[in-house]
Amino acid sequence: MNYKAYVRSEETSFSLRLDYILATLPVIIWAVIRFGFSAFMVLTLSVASALVTDFVCRSVKERRIIKPSLYAAFCGIMFSFMLYEEVSYIFVIFGGALTAVFVNVFGGEGKSIVFAPVAVRVLFYGFFDGFLPVPADLPYESLILKRIPAQSVFECSLGAVEGSFGTISAVALVFGAIYLLLRKNVDFTVSAAYLITAAVLFFVFPCIQGSNLESMTYELLTSGVIFVAVFLLNDYSLLQYKTAHKIVIGVICGALTYAFRLLGFDHQAVYVAYLTSVLFCFVIIKIASAGKGKYEK
Amino acid sequence: MLRIKGGIRPDEHKYTRNTFIGDIPSPDTVKVFAYSDDISVSVGDDVKIGTALTVNNRAHSPVSGSVEAIENGYVVIRNNSFNETDECCLPFSIKLSEAKYSHIVSFIQTKAILHNGEFFDNRLRLAKEGRAKVLIINCGETAPFECTSYRIFAEHLNEILFGAKIIMKALGIAKAAVALETYRRDHIKALKSVVNKQKFFKILTHTPKYPASDPSVLRKCFFDRFGKASGFKYEEIFVVSAIEAYEVFKAFRTGMPQINSVITVDGTAVHNPKVLRVPLGVSADYILNFCEAENINTVIAGNTLKGVDVNINDILKKDTVSLLAFEEELSLGRSEATECIGCGKCSKACPVGIDPIELLKRNKYSEKCISCGVCTYICPSKYDFSYIYPEKEVSCEL
């Protein structure tokens, strides 16, 4: 006869996913305030498209009717956060659907969820940039030209600037991070390693003219760095790694972000850095763990 | 302070923490598990309190009376309520300073001290063979509901320390550490006042997370923190529970073998929860009635994270530390599990460093697993990880 446990904690996988969605609320609210109806439409279409596609994919896979999962809604939200105001709704619907397809094929429960929306975003803006206009007055455009942006630090923090729906407001993102911290459902090891690495590199080796502190501040506040730290680097697929591995992922992502900025990559830089570092580290960690004892951390 | 990796902080439910250990009268009949095939008494024999029931002294009578039956490894004794003590139960006669390992271990063997499924004399022998250099007296109790060790510590601290000294003498260990949770400030203060006079004890606190007081976890934490720096090996750390140290002292002082156990009786169905000194061979039903239990649906020997199902008529064995009765049905099934979301909480919470979800997916178990139940408790997808626990003989099994 074996020992057994008789009680469980009250937390469920549904409540965990819901926490992540609730953490996006400050960002959603700010996006709707800043961009109005277009933000609302993009978000709604992206989430609806992802949910419907997820429902179809999982029902076909399981050969029975399955309710769409909350993670599909989260994917839709993440994808919409990385889009700009002038995006065509057709691309939003198509992108949301493609995100859900990618997640079902390559991700899903127990695997990466945010990798798919980032990958779809990079693909879309990489291959269809003629059809997907990017706003002219992005603070990031000044950074590429090695100049301090015209917008103030306050405006960049608050999000009173041009940019994608979910990445412009560092303040709203931080509120979301605080909520996740209070709920104790997050491990910010990767994010902390990422931000610290990027901050140190931007401070010590600034890419733009101006004081080191000013340079570092603008680099961190623009083009999705905080967004990557709060949501993308907290993907469950990363939480399963050992602490040392998580720090390595964060450091590599931070270093790549800096490198791409230094080389003058466009607004996709931070997302390409994220995808590259996660894929690279995944492969390296798999190889490194191959020789170790099985089923031991 | 020792910090454990992983672990959880469940609701404590330690309602009996401030109740003194009480006694329960022996019933008319006791049914003592023999722990051996070599039963030395026959039906009709008269026995006294402390009389050995087996040739190898693995079981003793907790009452005086006569042997009524011998069935399925149990000796059934009718209690004559005379409370006569066996004359052979004599205290340890050699001065501790002159006692040797062989004297101590052979004395302990006759007293059948059992805890956590192992007889203490066997554990002592293994520790001696392993050349134990470090003794940790585990006075912590992080499992929900359980207050047995807590109460023994509160009421019998000096006895625990003396018992520890006996063990140290047997193993030739000069210093020992007393481990308990950081929040027990009164106990730490009481311990300091005693320990300051006796230089061979050191106080070691640990986080009050479950299962920090599990011997394997405590040993691992101690080794991780001090072992490498101090140069001793993992096998040289010997962890003794407060209950064992107390029983050793009792045996040496009174000569009585272990004929009763201190257990916590609690749960939602128990209206008068207590910590009781319960004689061997008593059924769960008798104990729960004494504690005014009603509307019982689930009975557990152990705690709600690491326990075994008990039938109301089952006889408790001597290493039972707590008996819980609940009005609600407490059971977990795999049927309520949803898809694993890969949150890694089970792996992060595991105190011994294994990956429970990987084991479960591959239908394997790990010998390192201590069956603490943390992974099952914390899993948001409601998996039941008991399928990966190694099969170990559980002495509460009936």
Side-chain angles (χ1 to χ4, degrees), chain A residues 37-111:
Chain A
F37 183 73
S38 64
F40 174 78
M41 278 305 294
V42 166
L43 180 76
T44 308
L45 287 174
S46 177
V47 170
S49 170
L51 281 172
V52 168
T53 311
D54 182 63
F55 163 72
V56 170
C57 287
R58 292 172 85 215
S59 298
V60 164
K61 210 159 62 170
E62 300 289 326
R63 294 180 198 201
R64 57 189 175 96
I65 302 293
I66 293 185
K67 287 187 290 188
S69 170
L70 268 186
Y71 71 70
F74 187 70
C75 285
I77 295 172
M78 289 296 107
F79 180 65
S80 68
F81 276 5
M82 292 181 278
L83 302 175
Y84 296 109
E85 191 181 4
E86 291 88 5
V87 66
S88 157
Y89 292 162
I90 304 285
F91 272 100
V92 174
I93 294 169
F94 185 52
L98 196 59
T99 299
V101 169
F102 272 23
V103 166
N104 272 281
V105 173
F106 300 111
E109 292 285 35
K111 300 179 190 172

Coordinates of all heavy atoms in Angstrom, one line a residue, chain A residues 37-111:
Chain A
F37 N -11.1 52.8 -31.1 CA -11.9 51.7 -31.7 C -11.0 50.7 -32.4 O -11.2 49.5 -32.4 CB -13.0 52.2 -32.6 CG -13.8 51.2 -33.2 CD1 -14.8 50.5 -32.5 CD2 -13.7 50.8 -34.6 CE1 -15.6 49.5 -33.0 CE2 -14.5 49.8 -35.1 CZ -15.4 49.2 -34.4
S38 N -10.0 51.1 -33.1 CA -9.1 50.2 -33.8 C -8.4 49.2 -32.9 O -8.3 48.0 -33.3 CB -8.1 51.0 -34.6 OG -7.2 51.7 -33.8
A39 N -8.0 49.7 -31.7 CA -7.4 48.7 -30.8 C -8.4 47.7 -30.4 O -8.1 46.5 -30.3 CB -6.9 49.5 -29.6
F40 N -9.6 48.1 -30.1 CA -10.6 47.2 -29.6 C -10.9 46.2 -30.7 O -11.0 45.0 -30.5 CB -11.9 48.0 -29.3 CG -13.1 47.2 -29.0 CD1 -13.2 46.5 -27.8 CD2 -14.1 46.9 -29.9 CE1 -14.3 45.7 -27.5 CE2 -15.2 46.1 -29.6 CZ -15.3 45.5 -28.4
M41 N -11.0 46.6 -32.0 CA -11.3 45.7 -33.1 C -10.2 44.7 -33.3 O -10.4 43.5 -33.5 CB -11.6 46.5 -34.4 CG -13.0 47.1 -34.5 SD -14.3 45.8 -34.4 CE -13.9 44.9 -35.8
V42 N -9.0 45.2 -33.3 CA -7.8 44.3 -33.6 C -7.8 43.3 -32.5 O -7.6 42.1 -32.8 CB -6.5 45.2 -33.6 CG1 -5.3 44.3 -33.5 CG2 -6.5 46.0 -34.9
L43 N -8.0 43.7 -31.2 CA -7.9 42.7 -30.1 C -9.0 41.7 -30.3 O -8.8 40.5 -30.2 CB -8.0 43.5 -28.8 CG -8.0 42.6 -27.6 CD1 -6.6 42.2 -27.3 CD2 -8.5 43.4 -26.4
T44 N -10.2 42.2 -30.5 CA -11.4 41.3 -30.5 C -11.2 40.3 -31.7 O -11.4 39.1 -31.5 CB -12.7 42.1 -30.7 OG1 -12.7 43.1 -29.7 CG2 -13.9 41.2 -30.6
L45 N -10.8 40.8 -32.9 CA -10.7 39.9 -34.0 C -9.6 38.9 -33.8 O -9.8 37.8 -34.2 CB -10.4 40.8 -35.3 CG -11.6 41.6 -35.8 CD1 -11.2 42.5 -37.0 CD2 -12.7 40.7 -36.3
S46 N -8.5 39.4 -33.3 CA -7.4 38.4 -33.1 C -7.8 37.3 -32.1 O -7.5 36.1 -32.3 CB -6.2 39.2 -32.5 OG -5.1 38.4 -32.3
V47 N -8.4 37.7 -31.0 CA -8.8 36.7 -30.0 C -9.8 35.7 -30.6 O -9.7 34.5 -30.4 CB -9.3 37.4 -28.7 CG1 -9.9 36.4 -27.8 CG2 -8.1 38.1 -28.0
A48 N -10.8 36.3 -31.2 CA -11.9 35.5 -31.8 C -11.4 34.5 -32.8 O -11.7 33.3 -32.8 CB -13.0 36.4 -32.4
S49 N -10.5 35.0 -33.7 CA -9.9 34.2 -34.7 C -9.1 33.1 -34.1 O -9.2 31.9 -34.5 CB -9.1 35.1 -35.6 OG -8.3 34.3 -36.5
A50 N -8.3 33.4 -33.1 CA -7.5 32.4 -32.4 C -8.4 31.3 -31.7 O -8.1 30.1 -31.8 CB -6.6 33.0 -31.4
L51 N -9.4 31.8 -31.1 CA -10.3 30.9 -30.4 C -11.0 29.9 -31.3 O -11.1 28.7 -31.1 CB -11.4 31.6 -29.5 CG -10.9 32.2 -28.2 CD1 -11.9 33.1 -27.6 CD2 -10.5 31.1 -27.2
V52 N -11.6 30.5 -32.4 CA -12.3 29.7 -33.4 C -11.4 28.6 -34.0 O -11.7 27.4 -34.1 CB -13.0 30.6 -34.4 CG1 -13.5 29.7 -35.6 CG2 -14.1 31.4 -33.8
T53 N -10.2 29.1 -34.4 CA -9.2 28.2 -35.0 C -8.8 27.1 -34.1 O -8.7 25.9 -34.4 CB -8.0 29.0 -35.5 OG1 -8.4 30.1 -36.3 CG2 -7.1 28.1 -36.4
D54 N -8.6 27.5 -32.8 CA -8.1 26.5 -31.8 C -9.2 25.5 -31.6 O -9.0 24.3 -31.5 CB -7.9 27.2 -30.5 CG -7.4 26.3 -29.4 OD1 -6.3 25.7 -29.6 OD2 -8.1 26.1 -28.4
F55 N -10.5 25.9 -31.5 CA -11.6 25.0 -31.4 C -11.6 24.0 -32.5 O -11.8 22.8 -32.3 CB -12.9 25.9 -31.3 CG -14.1 25.1 -31.6 CD1 -14.6 24.2 -30.7 CD2 -14.9 25.2 -32.8 CE1 -15.8 23.5 -30.9 CE2 -16.0 24.5 -33.0 CZ -16.5 23.6 -32.1
V56 N -11.5 24.5 -33.8 CA -11.5 23.7 -34.9 C -10.4 22.7 -34.9 O -10.5 21.5 -35.1 CB -11.5 24.5 -36.2 CG1 -11.3 23.6 -37.4 CG2 -12.8 25.3 -36.4
C57 N -9.2 23.2 -34.7 CA -8.0 22.3 -34.7 C -8.1 21.2 -33.6 O -7.8 20.0 -33.9 CB -6.7 23.1 -34.4 SG -6.2 24.2 -35.7
R58 N -8.5 21.6 -32.4 CA -8.5 20.6 -31.3 C -9.6 19.6 -31.5 O -9.5 18.4 -31.2 CB -8.6 21.3 -30.0 CG -7.3 22.1 -29.6 CD -7.5 22.9 -28.4 NE -7.2 22.1 -27.2 CZ -7.8 22.2 -26.1 NH1 -8.7 23.1 -25.9 NH2 -7.5 21.5 -25.1
S59 N -10.7 20.1 -32.0 CA -11.9 19.2 -32.3 C -11.5 18.2 -33.4 O -11.9 17.0 -33.2 CB -13.1 20.0 -32.6 OG -13.5 20.8 -31.6
V60 N -10.8 18.7 -34.4 CA -10.4 17.8 -35.5 C -9.4 16.8 -34.9 O -9.5 15.6 -35.2 CB -9.8 18.6 -36.7 CG1 -9.1 17.7 -37.6 CG2 -10.9 19.3 -37.4
K61 N -8.5 17.2 -34.1 CA -7.4 16.4 -33.6 C -8.0 15.3 -32.7 O -7.7 14.1 -32.7 CB -6.4 17.2 -32.8 CG -5.0 16.7 -32.8 CD -3.9 17.7 -32.5 CE -4.0 18.3 -31.2 NZ -2.8 19.1 -30.9
E62 N -9.0 15.7 -31.8 CA -9.5 14.8 -30.9 C -10.8 14.0 -31.4 O -11.3 13.1 -30.8 CB -9.9 15.5 -29.6 CG -8.8 16.2 -28.9 CD -7.8 15.3 -28.2 OE1 -8.2 14.2 -27.8 OE2 -6.6 15.6 -28.2
R63 N -11.2 14.5 -32.5 CA -12.4 13.9 -33.2 C -13.7 14.0 -32.3 O -14.5 13.1 -32.2 CB -12.2 12.4 -33.6 CG -11.1 12.4 -34.7 CD -10.9 11.0 -35.1 NE -9.6 11.0 -35.8 CZ -9.2 10.1 -36.6 NH1 -9.9 9.1 -36.9 NH2 -8.0 10.1 -37.2
R64 N -13.7 15.1 -31.6 CA -14.9 15.4 -30.8 C -14.9 16.9 -30.5 O -13.9 17.5 -30.7 CB -15.0 14.6 -29.5 CG -13.8 14.8 -28.6 CD -13.8 13.8 -27.4 NE -12.6 14.0 -26.7 CZ -12.5 14.7 -25.6 NH1 -13.5 15.4 -25.1 NH2 -11.3 14.8 -24.9
I65 N -16.1 17.4 -30.1 CA -16.2 18.8 -29.8 C -15.4 19.1 -28.5 O -15.7 18.6 -27.5 CB -17.7 19.2 -29.7 CG1 -18.4 18.9 -31.0 CG2 -17.8 20.7 -29.4 CD1 -18.0 19.6 -32.2
I66 N -14.5 20.0 -28.6 CA -13.7 20.4 -27.5 C -13.8 21.9 -27.4 O -13.6 22.7 -28.3 CB -12.2 20.0 -27.6 CG1 -12.1 18.5 -27.6 CG2 -11.4 20.6 -26.5 CD1 -10.6 18.1 -27.6
K67 N -14.0 22.4 -26.2 CA -14.1 23.9 -26.0 C -12.7 24.5 -26.3 O -11.7 23.9 -25.9 CB -14.5 24.2 -24.5 CG -15.9 23.9 -24.2 CD -16.2 24.4 -22.8 CE -15.5 23.6 -21.7 NZ -16.0 23.9 -20.4
P68 N -12.7 25.7 -26.8 CA -11.4 26.3 -27.0 C -10.7 26.6 -25.7 O -11.4 26.8 -24.7 CB -11.7 27.6 -27.8 CG -13.1 27.8 -27.6 CD -13.8 26.5 -27.3
S69 N -9.4 26.6 -25.7 CA -8.7 26.8 -24.4 C -8.4 28.2 -24.2 O -8.3 29.0 -25.1 CB -7.4 26.0 -24.5 OG -6.6 26.3 -23.5
L70 N -8.2 28.6 -22.9 CA -7.8 29.9 -22.6 C -6.5 30.3 -23.2 O -6.2 31.5 -23.4 CB -7.7 30.1 -21.0 CG -9.0 30.6 -20.3 CD1 -8.7 30.8 -18.9 CD2 -9.6 31.8 -20.9
Y71 N -5.6 29.3 -23.4 CA -4.3 29.7 -24.0 C -4.5 30.3 -25.4 O -3.7 31.1 -25.8 CB -3.3 28.6 -23.9 CG -3.5 27.4 -24.8 CD1 -3.3 27.5 -26.2 CD2 -3.9 26.1 -24.3 CE1 -3.5 26.4 -27.0 CE2 -4.0 25.1 -25.1 CZ -3.9 25.2 -26.4 OH -4.0 24.1 -27.2
A72 N -5.5 29.8 -26.1 CA -5.7 30.4 -27.4 C -6.1 31.8 -27.3 O -5.7 32.7 -28.1 CB -6.9 29.6 -28.1
A73 N -6.9 32.2 -26.3 CA -7.3 33.6 -26.1 C -6.0 34.4 -25.8 O -5.8 35.5 -26.3 CB -8.3 33.7 -25.0
F74 N -5.2 33.8 -25.0 CA -3.9 34.5 -24.6 C -3.0 34.7 -25.8 O -2.4 35.8 -26.0 CB -3.2 33.7 -23.5 CG -2.0 34.4 -23.0 CD1 -2.1 35.5 -22.2 CD2 -0.7 34.0 -23.3 CE1 -1.1 36.2 -21.6 CE2 0.4 34.6 -22.7 CZ 0.2 35.7 -21.9
C75 N -3.0 33.7 -26.7 CA -2.2 33.8 -28.0 C -2.8 35.0 -28.8 O -2.0 35.8 -29.4 CB -2.3 32.6 -28.8 SG -1.3 31.2 -28.2
G76 N -4.1 35.0 -28.9 CA -4.7 36.1 -29.7 C -4.4 37.5 -29.1 O -4.1 38.4 -29.9
I77 N -4.4 37.6 -27.8 CA -4.1 38.8 -27.2 C -2.6 39.2 -27.4 O -2.3 40.3 -27.8 CB -4.3 38.8 -25.7 CG1 -5.8 38.6 -25.4 CG2 -3.8 40.0 -25.0 CD1 -6.1 38.3 -23.9
M78 N -1.7 38.2 -27.3 CA -0.3 38.5 -27.5 C -0.1 39.0 -28.9 O 0.7 39.9 -29.2 CB 0.5 37.3 -27.2 CG 0.6 36.9 -25.7 SD 1.5 38.1 -24.8 CE 0.1 38.9 -23.9
F79 N -0.7 38.3 -29.9 CA -0.5 38.6 -31.3 C -1.0 40.1 -31.5 O -0.3 40.9 -32.2 CB -1.2 37.7 -32.2 CG -1.1 37.9 -33.7 CD1 0.1 37.9 -34.3 CD2 -2.2 38.3 -34.4 CE1 0.3 38.2 -35.7 CE2 -2.1 38.6 -35.8 CZ -0.8 38.5 -36.4
S80 N -2.2 40.4 -31.0 CA -2.7 41.7 -31.2 C -1.8 42.8 -30.6 O -1.7 43.9 -31.1 CB -4.1 41.8 -30.7 OG -4.1 41.8 -29.3
F81 N -1.2 42.5 -29.5 CA -0.3 43.5 -28.8 C 0.8 43.9 -29.7 O 1.4 45.0 -29.5 CB 0.2 42.9 -27.5 CG -0.7 43.0 -26.3 CD1 -2.0 43.5 -26.5 CD2 -0.3 42.6 -25.1 CE1 -2.9 43.6 -25.4 CE2 -1.2 42.7 -24.0 CZ -2.4 43.2 -24.2
M82 N 1.2 43.0 -30.6 CA 2.4 43.3 -31.4 C 2.1 44.0 -32.7 O 3.0 44.2 -33.6 CB 3.2 42.0 -31.6 CG 3.8 41.5 -30.4 SD 4.8 40.0 -30.6 CE 3.5 38.8 -30.7
L83 N 0.8 44.4 -32.9 CA 0.4 45.0 -34.2 C 0.3 46.5 -34.1 O 0.1 47.0 -33.0 CB -0.9 44.4 -34.6 CG -1.0 42.8 -34.8 CD1 -2.4 42.4 -35.1 CD2 0.0 42.4 -35.9
Y84 N 0.3 47.2 -35.2 CA 0.2 48.6 -35.2 C -1.2 49.0 -35.6 O -2.0 48.2 -36.1 CB 1.2 49.2 -36.2 CG 2.7 49.0 -35.8 CD1 3.5 48.1 -36.5 CD2 3.2 49.6 -34.7 CE1 4.8 47.9 -36.2 CE2 4.5 49.4 -34.3 CZ 5.3 48.5 -35.1 OH 6.6 48.3 -34.7
E85 N -1.4 50.3 -35.4 CA -2.8 50.8 -35.6 C -3.4 50.6 -37.0 O -4.5 50.3 -37.2 CB -2.8 52.3 -35.2 CG -4.2 52.8 -35.1 CD -4.2 54.3 -34.7 OE1 -3.1 54.9 -34.7 OE2 -5.3 54.9 -34.5
E86 N -2.5 50.8 -38.0 CA -3.0 50.8 -39.4 C -3.1 49.4 -40.0 O -3.3 49.2 -41.2 CB -2.1 51.6 -40.3 CG -2.1 53.1 -40.1 CD -1.1 53.5 -39.0 OE1 -0.3 52.7 -38.5 OE2 -1.2 54.7 -38.6
V87 N -3.0 48.4 -39.2 CA -3.0 47.0 -39.7 C -4.4 46.6 -40.3 O -5.4 47.0 -39.7 CB -2.6 46.0 -38.6 CG1 -3.7 46.0 -37.5 CG2 -2.4 44.6 -39.1
S88 N -4.3 45.9 -41.3 CA -5.6 45.5 -42.0 C -6.2 44.4 -41.1 O -5.6 43.5 -40.6 CB -5.2 44.9 -43.4 OG -6.3 44.0 -43.8
Y89 N -7.6 44.5 -41.0 CA -8.3 43.5 -40.2 C -8.2 42.1 -40.8 O -8.2 41.1 -40.1 CB -9.8 43.9 -40.1 CG -10.0 45.1 -39.3 CD1 -11.2 45.8 -39.3 CD2 -9.0 45.6 -38.4 CE1 -11.4 46.9 -38.6 CE2 -9.2 46.7 -37.6 CZ -10.4 47.4 -37.7 OH -10.7 48.5 -37.0
I90 N -8.0 42.0 -42.1 CA -7.8 40.7 -42.7 C -6.6 40.0 -42.2 O -6.6 38.8 -41.9 CB -7.7 40.8 -44.3 CG1 -8.9 41.6 -44.9 CG2 -7.5 39.5 -44.9 CD1 -10.1 40.8 -45.0
F91 N -5.5 40.8 -42.1 CA -4.3 40.2 -41.5 C -4.4 39.9 -40.1 O -3.8 38.9 -39.6 CB -3.1 41.2 -41.7 CG -2.4 41.1 -43.0 CD1 -2.7 42.0 -44.1 CD2 -1.5 40.1 -43.3 CE1 -2.1 41.9 -45.3 CE2 -0.9 40.0 -44.5 CZ -1.2 40.9 -45.5
V92 N -5.2 40.6 -39.4 CA -5.4 40.3 -37.9 C -6.1 39.0 -37.8 O -5.7 38.1 -37.0 CB -6.3 41.4 -37.3 CG1 -6.6 41.0 -35.8 CG2 -5.6 42.7 -37.3
I93 N -7.2 38.8 -38.6 CA -7.9 37.5 -38.5 C -7.0 36.4 -39.0 O -7.0 35.3 -38.3 CB -9.2 37.6 -39.4 CG1 -10.2 38.6 -38.8 CG2 -9.9 36.2 -39.5 CD1 -11.3 39.0 -39.8
F94 N -6.3 36.6 -40.1 CA -5.5 35.5 -40.6 C -4.3 35.2 -39.6 O -4.0 34.0 -39.4 CB -4.9 36.0 -42.0 CG -4.1 34.9 -42.7 CD1 -4.6 33.6 -42.8 CD2 -2.8 35.2 -43.1 CE1 -3.8 32.7 -43.5 CE2 -2.0 34.2 -43.8 CZ -2.6 33.0 -43.9
G95 N -3.8 36.3 -39.1 CA -2.7 36.1 -38.1 C -3.1 35.4 -36.9 O -2.4 34.5 -36.4
G96 N -4.3 35.8 -36.3 CA -4.8 35.1 -35.1 C -5.0 33.6 -35.4 O -4.7 32.8 -34.6
A97 N -5.6 33.3 -36.6 CA -5.8 31.9 -36.9 C -4.5 31.1 -37.1 O -4.4 30.0 -36.6 CB -6.6 31.9 -38.3
L98 N -3.6 31.8 -37.8 CA -2.3 31.1 -38.0 C -1.6 30.9 -36.6 O -0.9 29.8 -36.4 CB -1.4 32.0 -38.9 CG -0.2 31.3 -39.5 CD1 -0.6 30.1 -40.4 CD2 0.6 32.3 -40.4
T99 N -1.7 31.8 -35.7 CA -1.1 31.6 -34.4 C -1.7 30.4 -33.7 O -1.0 29.6 -33.2 CB -1.4 32.9 -33.5 OG1 -0.9 34.0 -34.1 CG2 -0.9 32.7 -32.1
A100 N -3.0 30.2 -33.8 CA -3.6 29.1 -33.2 C -3.2 27.8 -33.8 O -3.0 26.8 -33.2 CB -5.2 29.2 -33.2
V101 N -3.1 27.8 -35.2 CA -2.6 26.6 -35.9 C -1.2 26.3 -35.4 O -0.9 25.1 -35.1 CB -2.7 26.9 -37.4 CG1 -1.9 25.7 -38.1 CG2 -4.1 27.0 -37.9
F102 N -0.3 27.2 -35.4 CA 1.1 27.0 -34.9 C 1.1 26.4 -33.5 O 1.9 25.5 -33.2 CB 1.9 28.3 -35.0 CG 2.5 28.6 -36.3 CD1 2.0 28.0 -37.5 CD2 3.6 29.4 -36.4 CE1 2.6 28.3 -38.7 CE2 4.2 29.7 -37.6 CZ 3.7 29.2 -38.8
V103 N 0.3 27.0 -32.7 CA 0.3 26.5 -31.3 C -0.2 25.1 -31.2 O 0.4 24.3 -30.5 CB -0.6 27.4 -30.4 CG1 -0.9 26.8 -29.0 CG2 0.1 28.8 -30.2
N104 N -1.2 24.7 -32.0 CA -1.7 23.4 -31.9 C -0.7 22.4 -32.5 O -0.6 21.2 -32.1 CB -3.0 23.3 -32.7 CG -4.2 23.6 -31.7 OD1 -4.6 22.8 -31.0 ND2 -4.7 24.8 -31.8
V105 N 0.0 22.8 -33.5 CA 1.0 21.9 -34.2 C 2.3 21.8 -33.4 O 2.8 20.7 -33.2 CB 1.2 22.4 -35.7 CG1 2.3 21.5 -36.3 CG2 -0.1 22.3 -36.5
F106 N 2.8 23.0 -33.0 CA 4.1 23.0 -32.4 C 4.1 23.2 -30.9 O 5.1 23.0 -30.2 CB 5.0 24.0 -33.1 CG 5.2 23.8 -34.5 CD1 4.7 24.7 -35.4 CD2 6.0 22.7 -35.0 CE1 4.8 24.5 -36.8 CE2 6.1 22.5 -36.3 CZ 5.6 23.4 -37.3
G107 N 3.0 23.7 -30.4 CA 3.0 24.1 -29.0 C 1.8 23.5 -28.3 O 1.6 22.3 -28.3
G108 N 1.0 24.3 -27.7 CA -0.1 23.8 -27.0 C 0.2 23.7 -25.5 O 1.2 24.1 -25.0
E109 N -0.7 23.0 -24.8 CA -0.6 22.9 -23.3 C 0.7 22.1 -23.0 O 1.0 21.1 -23.6 CB -1.7 22.1 -22.7 CG -3.1 22.8 -22.8 CD -3.2 23.9 -21.7 OE1 -2.2 24.6 -21.4 OE2 -4.3 24.1 -21.2
G110 N 1.5 22.6 -22.1 CA 2.7 22.0 -21.7 C 3.9 22.4 -22.6 O 5.0 22.1 -22.3
K111 N 3.6 23.2 -23.7 CA 4.7 23.6 -24.5 C 4.6 25.1 -24.7 O 3.8 25.8 -24.0 CB 4.7 23.0 -25.9 CG 4.8 21.4 -25.8 CD 4.7 20.8 -27.1 CE 4.6 19.3 -27.0 NZ 4.3 18.6 -28.3

